Amino acid sequence: MSHPVKVIAIDGPVAAGKTVVGLKLASRLGFQFLDTGVMYRAITWLALHQSIPVIDNVALGRLAQQTTITLVDQAGSQVKMGEHQVGRELREPRVEQNVSQVAQASEVRQALVQQQRKLAQEGKIVMVGRDIGTVVLPGADLKVFLTASPEERARRRWLDLQARGSSSDYQQVLQDIEWRDHLDSTRSNSPLTQARDAVLVTTDGLEEDQVVELLFNLVRERCGRQE
Ligand code: DC
């Protein structure tokens, strides 16, 4: 029996295009959008700002528990935490280097998952991350596992970096991606895995808009009609 799709979970490895595609899909459907990676980055930034060691899971958990993260815009390019508002800081190298460590702390995950579920309560949301279909919203109406080969993801990330004036080396970008894949999929808490009922979408050779179209059609199929 078909039913309206209200909650969409998109998971996948680093640089699979989850954020761009998820955001476009959400705006086409008139849904909210939440990139949960931004929340892990925000807690990492705050921990570094407060000189909390990123290996102190208990202190990190307390911090995450006490911090309400508010997204200033849908894309999550700015977030508010108490008196702090941060944006570009979330992509700083020191945040990049420490976020995997912070994200493996179960104390942090518990606190953030609670906030994520609360945000999804009203429905009509596209949520992206690593554990949305498996842990955060196991009852999501549509689950997508979005991926591409490491080489394709590295190529896209490298082109993106070039366009922003960086002279980074492709081999280095590929190595970083493979390392992040390893960390995300081997950690003991909520490792990156495809939910059993997720649709696998491999985007090698597809343009961004083709992927959005594909996902939009999946939504339509699931609910008969949604426009
Ligand atoms: O998607 P991203 O690169 O912005 O994610 C930043 C980090 O947070 C990355 O190490 C994976 C982690 N993460 C997570 O563990 N669970 C999520 N739901 C989202 C991100």
Side-chain angles (χ1 to χ4, degrees):
M1 202 173 77
S2 68
H3 63 289
V5 171
K6 293 209 179 84
V7 175
I8 300 172
I10 304 180
D11 292 299
V14 62
K18 303 181 297 290
T19 304
V20 173
V21 164
L23 191 55
K24 282 191 173 179
L25 179 69
S27 87
R28 194 154 164 193
L29 294 167
F31 279 20
Q32 289 188 79
F33 174 74
L34 178 64
D35 176 2
T36 56
V38 165
M39 299 174 88
Y40 289 93
R41 288 172 183 272
I43 293 299
T44 305
W45 179 85
L46 195 57
L48 295 170
H49 181 73
Q50 297 187 2
S51 303
I52 294 172
V54 295
I55 50 165
D56 187 343
N57 290 357
V58 174
L60 289 172
R62 205 178 306 126
L63 181 70
Q65 198 80 52
Q66 290 164 352
T67 308
T68 302
I69 305 171
T70 313
L71 274 69
V72 177
D73 60 354
Q74 284 255 302
S77 55
Q78 291 279 326
V79 305
K80 260 192 192 162
M81 297 174 285
E83 83 260 30
H84 301 291
Q85 180 162 332
V86 284
R88 286 231 296 252
E89 294 86 343
L90 303 177
R91 311 275 153 190
E92 281 173 359
R94 64 190 188 123
V95 171
E96 285 297 342
Q97 283 151 18
N98 288 291
V99 66
S100 293
Q101 176 67 34
V102 172
Q104 59 75 45
S106 58
E107 293 86 343
V108 172
R109 303 201 71 84
Q110 270 169 26
L112 295 190
V113 167
Q114 213 174 16
Q115 289 193 36
Q116 291 155 10
R117 287 186 180 144
K118 218 162 150 189
L119 290 166
Q121 256 167 13
E122 285 174 24
K124 288 195 157 194
I125 189 165
V126 175
M127 197 180 286
V128 312
R130 304 291 193 285
D131 58 342
I132 311 304
T134 49
V135 176
V136 183
L137 306 171
D141 304 307
L142 173 65
K143 297 179 188 178
V144 174
F145 194 83
L146 196 68
T147 191
S149 64
E151 291 75 15
E152 173 69 12
R153 288 183 283 131
R155 192 185 64 84
R156 290 181 195 158
R157 176 64 49 102
W158 180 76
L159 286 174
D160 194 40
L161 288 166
Q162 295 273 306
R164 283 193 263 144
S166 157
S167 59
S168 44
D169 172 51
Y170 169 81
Q171 283 304 330
Q172 186 60 50
V173 175
L174 177 60
Q175 258 180 37
D176 287 350
I177 282 187
E178 287 174 336
W179 176 240
R180 289 282 289 275
D181 283 355
H182 172 72
L183 291 178
D184 285 348
S185 53
T186 56
R187 68 172 179 226
S188 51
N189 295 314
S190 307
L192 171 69
T193 44
Q194 183 183 340
R196 268 192 302 135
D197 50 350
V199 180
L200 175 67
V201 176
T202 307
T203 68
D204 291 69
L206 292 179
E207 297 291 333
E208 213 167 270
D209 285 339
Q210 290 178 300
V211 180
V212 177
E213 191 64 32
L214 201 152
L215 300 194
F216 186 72
N217 287 334
L218 279 177
V219 175
R220 277 221 292 225
E221 269 170 33
R222 283 287 159 104
C223 60
R225 201 175 150 75
Q226 169 128 13
E227 262 171 304

